[in-house]
Amino acid sequence: IRAAGQVANSEGTGITGLPGIVWPLAILVGPVLLEQFLALAVGFVDKWLAGNLFTETEPLAAIGMVAYCLAFMPVLFVMPAAATALVARGVGGGDLPAVRRAVTHCMLVAAVLVAASLALAAVGGSWFVELLGLPAGSSSLAIRYLEIVLPALPLVAVNLVGVAVLRGAGDMVAGLVAMSVVNLVNAGASFLLATGGLGLPRLGWEGLAWGTVVGYACGTGCVILLLARRGPGLRPSSSDWRPRADMLRRIARVGGPAGTDAVGNAACHLTFLGIVNRLGDLDAAAHAVAITIESLAFLPGSAFSVAAATLAGQFLGAGDERRARRSVGLAAVIAAAFMTLAGLGFLLVADPLAAWFTGGAGRQPEVAALAASLVRIVAFVQPPLALLMVLSGGLRGAGATRPPLLVNFAGLIAIRLPLAVWLAWPMIELPGGWGSVAGWGLGVYGAWLAMAADLAARGLAMLVIFRRAAWSRV
């Protein structure tokens, strides 16, 4: 892969008459797409093991909540992951000292966040899991899993911030290598430790958690080596580790809104999960399976979102606003096309996919049938979801982190959560002892209808914001 600065300033003419955009977009998307596939494969392995090694619904319900928690661990490091935008700007402008300062200060911020998060988990971790509303059996399984994984949070921080730095430098191949190690080791170790393969102890449920820890341990060493081999461009000196107020303010200005957005998103999604969990293990298990199947469609959205963020930052760093806007727009159009095809696929194969995760249609037929019906709902909102993911990524890469923050909070708080409660629960208890009101009682199906309405509204809102000029002039 050519150096990031050369990619951002390349003058080659791409297809569709978009000079210097198509080729950089392609070489950035490919590695990230493969990386996302490997990450998805790990989630598939965990859900498949939970659905096939155990006959009860509790492990599937528990792994669904654990998957949410693992997916939101990166949320803790969204602010230091502003390294992607800061490094991209520095590389695009040829300012290597600024790049090195961005790397060290983002690592320092991540270290502070790790310490605070572990302290909070030690004090109230079990209470937090129980608050999410799973029945006692599945809740205890989830707590045990997280007790094993949470001490590995420093490894997660090094992986996430290190890969964010590499992506900001345009080095998507290095990030792919690092995350490939994490994902492949995670999948293999989880399977072997859960099933007792190759003479290892058969740990069952706990084996899934220990496999995750082993994966991050191997990935951390890989990220450190990849950062070290980048040479003086990213390798900081001892003076770069001295905290500087101006750099910390810049991280807060660029990463603060994105961090607030991510934490708010996580809180709202966990609240949504709590709404579903209170419907019982059947609905929670179907939700877990359906979310995993739906994540197939996230592959192009996630990959093009990362590419849009990198190109927007690099083109703006090079002073080329026109190509910054066009690169984000092209990424959104292509991602929407791919995710529309994924939605059509969901309509055709939802039933066999749901049955595969539950050990066959005859093993947990109610879970499989309900999960398939949920997948069909979300199939219809794949195009606006693509716009939401890619345009938000492009704006964040440009440093315009406030518009995605406002859109996400408005959609989740004003649409998804209240509508989910009204459609899912048969009776809604009002706070303060004000009595209760009747809901529609549609269960998890109603909650997913609310989710679809929210995604459609947010995708259209991001399209309106993208068409304005303000975001590319931050």
Side-chain angles (χ1 to χ4, degrees), residues 93-127:
D95 189 354
L96 292 182
V99 170
R100 291 192 291 271
R101 287 193 298 271
V103 172
T104 56
H105 282 69
C106 286
M107 288 290 186
L108 290 173
V109 171
V112 173
L113 292 172
V114 165
S117 301
L118 290 178
L120 288 174
V123 173
S126 298
W127 169 83

Side-chain angles (χ1 to χ4, degrees), residues 169-450:
D171 196 342
M172 299 300 182
V173 174
L176 168 63
V177 171
M179 293 310 295
S180 295
V181 171
V182 175
N183 295 324
L184 292 175
V185 172
N186 185 357
S190 294
F191 180 81
L192 293 175
L193 289 171
T195 60
L198 299 181
L200 295 173
R202 184 185 178 97
L203 300 180
W205 173 255
E206 293 185 3
L208 302 182
W210 284 112
T212 300
V213 173
V214 172
Y216 274 111
C218 294
T220 298
C222 184
V223 168
I224 293 172
L225 290 175
L226 290 168
L227 288 171
R229 68 182 284 271
R230 292 288 298 175
L234 291 179
R235 189 181 302 159
S237 64
S238 57
S239 62
D240 292 321
W241 289 97
R242 188 179 302 115
R244 291 180 43 163
D246 61 330
M247 182 56 69
L248 293 174
R249 282 195 298 268
R250 192 176 180 195
I251 292 173
R253 186 172 64 252
V254 175
T260 304
D261 181 8
V263 170
N265 258 291
C268 291
H269 281 87
L270 288 171
T271 302
F272 181 76
L273 178 64
I275 293 170
V276 173
N277 285 343
R278 285 169 173 78
L279 298 168
D281 280 330
L282 172 62
D283 289 65
H287 175 76
V289 171
I291 281 287
T292 305
I293 295 172
E294 189 214 1
S295 64
L296 280 167
F298 276 56
L299 288 173
S302 237
F304 280 97
S305 176
V306 171
T310 299
L311 287 177
Q314 289 184 1
F315 280 133
L316 290 174
D320 194 339
E321 181 184 353
R322 177 173 172 270
R323 279 198 285 175
R325 296 183 65 88
R326 287 196 171 192
S327 62
V328 176
L330 180 62
V333 169
I334 298 175
F338 277 115
M339 292 178 69
T340 299
L341 292 176
L344 293 175
F346 287 159
L347 294 175
L348 297 175
V349 298
D351 288 298
L353 277 176
W356 184 74
F357 277 106
T358 56
R363 189 168 184 179
Q364 298 187 53
E366 292 181 332
V367 174
L370 185 53
S373 68
L374 303 181
V375 172
R376 293 190 189 95
I377 293 174
V378 83
F380 291 98
V381 292
Q382 293 308 303
L385 176 57
L387 296 178
L388 174 63
M389 295 177 72
V390 179
L391 298 181
S392 295
L395 266 64
R396 292 188 182 107
T401 52
R402 288 183 178 84
L405 167 67
L406 296 175
V407 168
N408 285 330
F409 272 149
L412 289 167
I413 295 175
I415 299 176
R416 180 182 298 199
L417 296 181
L419 191 58
V421 170
W422 184 48
L423 293 177
W425 291 356
M427 192 64 64
I428 306 165
E429 298 293 333
L430 298 177
W434 286 82
S436 60
V437 296
W440 281 49
L442 299 178
V444 69
Y445 191 86
W448 274 59
L449 289 174

